[in-house]
Amino acid sequence: INAEYMGLTPMPTLEVTVTQGNVKKIDPDAYGVTRRDAWVKLVLGSQEYKTTEQKSKLDPVWEETFTFTVEDAVKEKLLVTFYLGEVQLGTEGSYNLDGLKQKVATYKGMAVPGGKIDLSLKALDFGKEEVEEEADEDWMSFV
């Protein structure tokens, strides 16, 4: 059902791409890791997504994109958690949405024990609109 056709305002949409990770410096035994299958959990409000598990990878590449409906960009936060097998590594990352630029991917690096996880957030139809600077045609007028 097309919300605009029904006279309703469509909910804002957030696109999250989990690109890759690198936790090669971790000592899995120190964290009780028995399976080295890397994956990421994303939560926004009641919506939850998981990346595929990268089997036995300490340098996983996901390149997976997820779409969330945003109810309140000022109050809601995207929560990101990294796992090796069933073991959560590091603390949950929390990302504000109200500073995102509309239709512009914003890189986020989440520090985890032994490395980091790379992701990008893109506000598809909310956020600050990026203003293009007008070309200054008088740049040679001083010559």
Side-chain angles (χ1 to χ4, degrees), residues 13 15 100-106 121-130:
T13 306
E15 183 179 273
L100 296 176
K101 291 182 181 171
Q102 191 171 346
K103 295 185 171 104
V104 176
T106 302
L121 312 181
K122 185 190 292 186
L124 296 182
D125 48 11
F126 70 96
K128 300 173 184 169
E129 291 192 31
E130 189 168 50

Side-chain angles (χ1 to χ4, degrees), residues 49-127:
Y49 293 103
K50 287 175 28 176
T51 63
T52 55
E53 288 190 19
Q54 296 292 316
K55 302 292 183 192
S56 300
K57 294 278 190 166
L58 294 181
D59 59 347
V61 175
W62 291 284
E63 294 293 343
E64 295 179 31
T65 301
F66 304 91
T67 304
F68 292 89
T69 299
V70 178
E71 291 186 27
D72 187 338
V74 174
K75 293 181 181 175
E76 287 186 297
K77 294 179 189 298
L78 176 70
L79 305 177
V80 181
T81 313
F82 174 67
Y83 294 85
L84 276 179
E86 291 82 32
V87 179
Q88 176 181 331
L89 292 181
T91 59
E92 181 177 74
S94 176
Y95 300 95
N96 294 332
L97 307 181
D98 58 349
L100 296 176
K101 291 182 181 171
Q102 191 171 346
K103 295 185 171 104
V104 176
T106 302
Y107 166 80
K108 301 290 182 182
M110 185 174 103
V112 296
K116 69 179 177 109
I117 304 301
D118 296 331
L119 55 144
S120 69
L121 312 181
K122 185 190 292 186
L124 296 182
D125 48 11
F126 70 96

Side-chain angles (χ1 to χ4, degrees), residues 5-24:
Y5 176 78
M6 302 284 294
L8 304 171
T9 303
M11 296 295 285
T13 306
L14 173 70
E15 183 179 273
V16 179
T17 301
V18 182
T19 53
Q20 63 186 0
N22 186 326
V23 292
K24 289 182 175 180

